[in-house]
Amino acid sequence: MLKQLIAVISMSLQTVPQRLGASSVIVIGIAGVVAVLVSVLAMGAGFKHTLADSGRDDRVIILRGGSDAELNSNLTRTDIDTIGNAPGLAKDAAGKALLSSELVTVVNVPKLDTGTDANVTMRGVGLKVIEVRPEVKIVSGKMFRPAVRELIAGVGAAKLFRGLNVGSVLRLRNADWTVTGIFSSNGDVHESELLADVDTVGSSIERTGYSSAVGLLTSAAAFTAFKDSLTSDPQLKVDVVREREYYAKQSAGLTKTINIVGTTVAVIMAIGAMFGALNTMYSAVAARGLEIATLRAIGFGALPVLFGVMIESLLLALLGGVIGASLAWMFFNGHTVSTLGAAFAQVVFQLIVTDTLIITGIVWACIIGLLGGFFPALRAARLPVAEALRAG
Amino acid sequence: MKYFPLIWATLWRKKTRTLFTLLSVVIAFLLFGMLETVDYAFSHPSAGTTGADKLISTNKYSITLPLPFADLQEIRSVPGVTDATWLTWLGAYYQESKNFVFALPIDTESYFNVHKDEFIVSDEQMKNYRGTRSGALVNVALMKKFGWKVGEKLPVHSTIWTQKNGSLDWTFDIVGTFDVKDSTQANAQAYTVFFHYDLFDEGRSFGKGTVGWIEERIDNPANAAAIAGKIDALFANSPNETKTQPANDFAMTFIKQIGDIGFVLRAILGAVFFTLLFLTGNTMMQSVRERIPELAVLKTLGFTDGKVLALVIAESLLLCLFAAVIGLGLSYATLPIIGQALQGVQLDPVALIPGLGAAVLLALIVGFPPAWRAMRLNIVDALSGLH
């Protein structure tokens, strides 16, 4: 049985070059499906990755009670002072709490490729920002100074928006701002932002108060005590959220949409590719009718013939899957794009073709190949031997 | 036309093969239709006449930043502006966050003046609405969707606005329903619930005296750009600069920021059609290869080379167009579902028409090589099996 199977498979594979045109239909059809599936899902994976990386378990974000996002939130200076005294916050050498009071607003910066204005987040941050967010590193230029209109731009923003180079001057909200540096932040969402001194941003947009406060805790376990002390304070109406949860929530909707759309399109394409595979394998079986009948006549079983056809289809599909996944990886892995995030501002992210996605693509390819090979294989196995020999 | 039976018969010479090829092409055009209508909707703002005489002023930097209420009086004094009304985004949902509800606080007089003749409300319900402080007018379709009835209470949850008591829940009394006059706007208003701005402004715990955006009605759509420029000039260099644009362009500014949707859709369609070329091309090649003796017989009977070429191309055209019509027809049937999934984007079937052009192009590309081969066929060689 196994010997027969090997013989049948090697025979069918040897004849593939004679049916190159038809066989390429399976390969190319499935490569198309897998390339589209993997590329679209890579978009979802990249977006999720960017936002998931934006949080640490031992970092908290404090918003006005009921505010879903920083843009809707407002905290007063007194609120900030109260929050700074809450237990659980890490302290610097001088004993000051590691808390960054932040003011988030939106500015218009043209996109490099299209030149159209896009909403970019401008985040005013407290002096403690580098200690609160140790992952923020200046990659070129230097840090902004407080009290002057200077800002640093994230590497993601610098890549996609115009005029974000060290030393260049930007006109934002009727004021000239100098870009003093470019920073990286571990690939997270803040790389899409502009950072500047919080009070300078506040005076520039004529706003008092803050959007949020971001604090580093002594440990992830200190969260509950910290939260309880703030939420039980009758003077204060705030929501305390772990930073990781705050950003994970923002990615949930879009990631889900991308995955649904990508899968739907790929399923439709897969059905089309399956018809193509059926076509190819039926014509392969027809072309090799005489050969198959001869095999049956000299004692080969129906099962090896069935498996032979299915395995040919499967191997062609596998080749298509590998080509499709490779194309997606070559063209789109690390490709930088941006979209409108939950805060109505651009979030810059990179497409990531993960191992899981490549495997998913190849599994899809195999399923299409098996489905497309099954019915033709059945026909081959049931071929009436005498008739086929006579017709040949 | 007299050759149609001949072409039809040769097309179905190998039934399974033609059927599978046909189904693949149908699927490709189903996808084409779905993606193309979405792309069209995103690149063409609703062309309905309703929006032409309306402008929208928002904060220049972001719709999420408010404008002072005082801007309204200044805007009203701009020549060409017949009336202006103010609104704010409540960001509400009903029970679960997936049940988005466009609960819109409106100033009744000015809102229905700016949006004159757009909504159908019975006189009695309008009277009840004016008389009920907590009243709400709900889109008929939305009423049906959630099974609400006039007289019921409608609780919605805002993701932005807290009331003075700290609650994010806002409760209205459904006093009536409205319908949309212009059916092309039906989807755009599918989630709308109108309620009183006074209730909202007095109830909210912060932001009093600000508005989300201002909508203007203008006397002459031809002057839209000039009037928008005058409005924005009023607030230039103030802390709250405005950006005024025609209502139809307004939605586009968001869609453009989501990303290059068109590029993604076209890339997918490119992949689909590239694979389709191979698939149908292969079918046509095979079909002609098998029929070489038959084609030679046709030529023997006196069919000219040109006629044989035309026959094969016609066969390819028939296959592709037939499949394209079915595929585009299927995608037409899915439009309402997609529109709903996109929160009420109006999909225009006019975007399906280029699909027929694509089908013709596909047919010519895949039909030409085998047709050329058939045309060049030498009768003697073909009949003797020497091809």
Side-chain angles (χ1 to χ4, degrees):
Chain A
M1 163 87 184
L2 191 68
K3 240 169 124 183
Q4 287 190 357
L5 189 61
I6 293 169
V8 171
I9 293 168
S10 77
M11 267 186 74
S12 39
L13 291 185
Q14 276 167 25
T15 57
V16 164
Q18 294 165 23
R19 291 175 276 116
L20 215 54
S23 306
S24 68
V25 167
I26 295 194
V27 178
I28 293 172
I30 290 179
V33 176
V34 173
V36 167
L37 177 76
V38 173
S39 314
V40 177
L41 295 187
M43 220 183 288
F47 186 69
K48 193 172 172 189
H49 181 255
T50 294
L51 288 177
D53 267 6
S54 301
R56 271 171 62 149
D57 285 329
D58 60 351
R59 210 154 47 199
V60 286
I61 175 158
I62 300 108
L63 303 167
R64 183 192 56 215
S67 300
D68 241 19
E70 286 175 290
L71 268 175
N72 312 325
S73 167
N74 192 39
L75 297 175
T76 63
R77 208 168 280 268
T78 330
D79 293 341
I80 299 285
D81 290 340
T82 317
I83 295 165
N85 290 326
L89 278 178
K91 304 264 188 326
D92 68 2
K96 281 200 77 178
L98 294 186
L99 185 75
S100 166
S101 49
E102 314 215 323
L103 176 56
V104 173
T105 187
V106 177
V107 293
N108 285 348
V109 185
K111 289 187 86 166
L112 261 180
D113 53 354
T114 57
T116 51
D117 273 354
N119 290 157
V120 176
T121 299
M122 182 162 188
R123 181 182 292 275
V125 290
L127 294 171
K128 292 270 167 236
V129 64
I130 292 291
E131 285 147 285
V132 174
R133 291 202 176 89
E135 69 275 17
V136 170
K137 296 202 168 65
I138 306 284
V139 292
S140 67
K142 55 185 193 329
M143 189 67 182
F144 61 80
R145 289 170 299 169
V148 280
R149 286 190 174 138
E150 291 183 346
L151 61 85
I152 56 175
V155 285
K159 214 182 273 180
L160 289 192
F161 303 109
R162 193 179 285 170
L164 298 181
N165 314 309
V166 175
S168 62
V169 175
L170 281 170
R171 187 142 186 98
L172 304 173
R173 312 279 290 259
N174 293 324
D176 287 329
W177 291 78
T178 308
V179 182
T180 59
I182 306 292
F183 70 93
S184 71
S185 176
N186 204 15
D188 70 13
V189 68
H190 302 301
E191 288 188 359
S192 317
E193 301 177 343
L194 311 176
L195 299 187
D197 173 56
V198 63
D199 294 320
T200 316
V201 172
S203 69
S204 178
I205 61 172
E206 299 187 20
R207 183 175 154 174
T208 52
Y210 305 96
S211 314
S212 63
V214 177
L216 193 63
L217 300 175
T218 48
S219 73
F223 177 75
T224 320
F226 176 74
K227 182 178 175 173
D228 289 348
S229 91
L230 291 185
T231 46
S232 61
D233 186 337
Q235 301 295 317
L236 211 57
K237 221 169 222 159
V238 293
D239 284 344
V240 182
V241 199
R242 279 190 207 269
E243 200 187 24
R244 191 186 293 283
E245 283 164 26
Y246 176 76
Y247 286 106
K249 200 171 145 198
Q250 291 193 354
S251 75
L254 188 66
T255 311
K256 197 172 144 205
T257 310
I258 292 175
N259 287 347
I260 290 176
V261 170
T263 315
T264 311
V265 168
V267 163
I268 298 176
M269 283 183 76
I271 296 173
M274 197 187 67
F275 289 130
L278 279 170
N279 230 348
T280 304
M281 293 318 292
Y282 269 125
S283 66
V285 169
R288 292 170 50 216
L290 183 62
E291 189 188 310
I292 292 169
T294 312
L295 282 174
R296 298 297 310 279
I298 60 171
F300 277 69
L303 225 49
V305 169
L306 181 112
F307 281 127
V309 175
M310 286 197 63
I311 286 176
E312 180 185 332
S313 163
L314 182 66
L315 288 177
L316 290 172
L318 196 63
L319 179 64
V322 170
I323 292 176
S326 315
L327 284 176
W329 187 80
M330 260 163 46
F331 284 110
F332 292 120
N333 194 31
H335 186 68
T336 307
V337 293
S338 73
T339 187
L340 202 59
F344 277 100
Q346 294 285 311
V347 173
V348 180
F349 63 99
Q350 293 189 335
L351 274 70
I352 316 172
V353 178
T354 59
D355 305 350
T356 330
L357 290 185
I358 291 183
I359 293 168
T360 309
I362 290 176
V363 167
W364 274 56
C366 293
I367 293 173
I368 301 169
L370 284 178
L371 287 176
F374 181 70
F375 295 99
L378 215 55
R379 178 188 279 183
R382 285 178 173 168
L383 208 63
V385 178
E387 265 175 53
L389 284 176
R390 222 177 295 128
Chain B
M1 210 58 233
K2 66 177 171 182
Y3 295 118
F4 184 79
L6 175 67
I7 299 169
W8 185 254
T10 47
L11 189 61
W12 292 98
R13 197 169 173 276
K14 280 263 167 82
K15 286 200 184 57
T16 358
R17 184 173 62 207
T18 306
L19 185 69
F20 287 137
T21 309
L22 196 78
L23 287 174
S24 300
V25 183
V26 166
I27 296 283
F29 277 93
L30 167 66
L31 209 51
F32 179 94
M34 288 160 71
L35 298 182
E36 198 60 23
T37 40
V38 171
D39 187 23
Y40 185 86
F42 280 165
S43 50
H44 295 71
S46 164
T49 47
T50 0
D53 58 353
K54 271 180 283 300
L55 301 177
I56 295 186
S57 301
T58 57
N59 187 296
K60 183 175 173 186
Y61 300 102
S62 171
I63 176 74
T64 57
L65 301 172
L67 291 172
F69 179 76
D71 286 4
L72 192 81
Q73 283 316 320
E74 291 189 59
I75 287 177
R76 280 187 171 150
S77 67
V78 171
V81 173
T82 44
D83 201 356
T85 190
W86 64 98
L87 306 129
T88 294
W89 174 256
L90 188 67
Y93 61 79
Y94 173 65
Q95 288 178 344
E96 283 176 80
S97 58
K98 68 180 168 71
N99 296 332
F100 166 70
V101 170
F102 185 31
L104 191 64
I106 57 166
D107 168 63
T108 317
E109 290 320 313
S110 62
Y111 186 82
F112 288 112
N113 192 22
V114 169
H115 295 269
K116 206 176 276 173
D117 301 328
E118 283 178 40
F119 303 101
I120 310 166
V121 186
S122 78
D123 290 344
E124 191 203 334
Q125 291 187 335
M126 186 52 109
K127 203 176 135 229
N128 284 345
Y129 174 70
R130 284 176 201 274
T132 315
R133 207 179 118 78
S134 59
L137 286 174
V138 183
N139 183 305
V140 223
L142 194 65
M143 292 282 278
K144 216 177 281 166
K145 186 178 171 194
F146 290 114
W148 298 332
K149 291 187 183 59
V150 173
E152 285 182 346
K153 289 220 177 289
L154 168 59
V156 300
H157 183 88
S158 169
T159 52
I160 302 170
W161 299 104
T162 39
Q163 303 210 44
K164 280 181 200 139
N165 59 13
S167 164
L168 283 154
D169 295 319
W170 296 75
T171 305
F172 315 123
D173 290 296
I174 304 179
V175 293
T177 62
F178 72 87
D179 206 346
V180 182
K181 254 188 199 161
D182 178 356
S183 64
T184 65
Q185 294 297 313
N187 270 351
Q189 298 289 353
Y191 297 90
T192 306
V193 171
F194 294 126
F195 69 101
H196 292 286
Y197 203 96
D198 292 346
L199 178 88
F200 168 71
D201 202 43
E202 282 159 32
R204 60 176 163 175
S205 61
F206 61 95
K208 280 188 214 306
T210 66
V211 303
W213 70 95
I214 295 173
E215 296 184 2
E216 300 94 12
R217 185 187 180 87
I218 54 174
D219 54 4
N220 184 355
N223 296 336
I227 298 173
K230 269 185 217 152
I231 294 174
D232 290 342
L234 285 176
F235 309 107
N237 297 321
S238 82
N240 294 292
E241 288 186 78
T242 57
K243 180 174 182 181
T244 303
Q245 50 193 331
N248 289 342
D249 294 348
F250 177 66
M252 299 297 295
T253 52
F254 291 108
I255 289 162
K256 279 202 185 112
Q257 286 216 38
I258 293 174
D260 200 344
I261 297 171
F263 169 76
V264 175
L265 297 182
R266 279 189 295 275
I268 294 175
L269 283 179
V272 171
F273 275 82
F274 182 73
T275 58
L276 203 59
L277 276 181
F278 274 82
L279 189 116
T280 26
N282 183 57
T283 301
M284 285 305 296
M285 276 301 232
Q286 270 186 352
S287 146
V288 166
R289 201 181 308 134
E290 286 164 6
R291 283 188 353 242
I292 280 176
E294 290 169 32
L295 291 168
V297 170
L298 284 181
K299 285 194 173 182
T300 318
L301 290 174
F303 276 70
T304 60
D305 284 354
K307 218 168 222 174
V308 172
L309 177 102
L311 273 181
V312 177
I313 293 211
E315 184 185 331
S316 170
L317 268 175
L318 184 64
L319 173 72
C320 293
L321 274 176
F322 184 56
V325 168
I326 299 176
L328 295 174
L330 285 177
S331 66
Y332 178 73
T334 64
L335 292 190
I337 305 169
I338 304 176
Q340 200 136 58
L342 294 171
Q343 303 282 5
V345 170
Q346 193 79 36
L347 298 170
D348 192 342
V350 88
L352 296 175
I353 294 167
L356 297 177
V360 172
L361 193 68
L362 177 74
L364 293 180
I365 296 173
V366 301
F368 191 73
W372 184 254
R373 185 174 176 186
M375 187 189 90
R376 298 288 298 272
L377 217 56
N378 178 306
I379 297 178
V380 179
D381 288 351
L383 284 176
S384 64
L386 278 177
H387 49 280

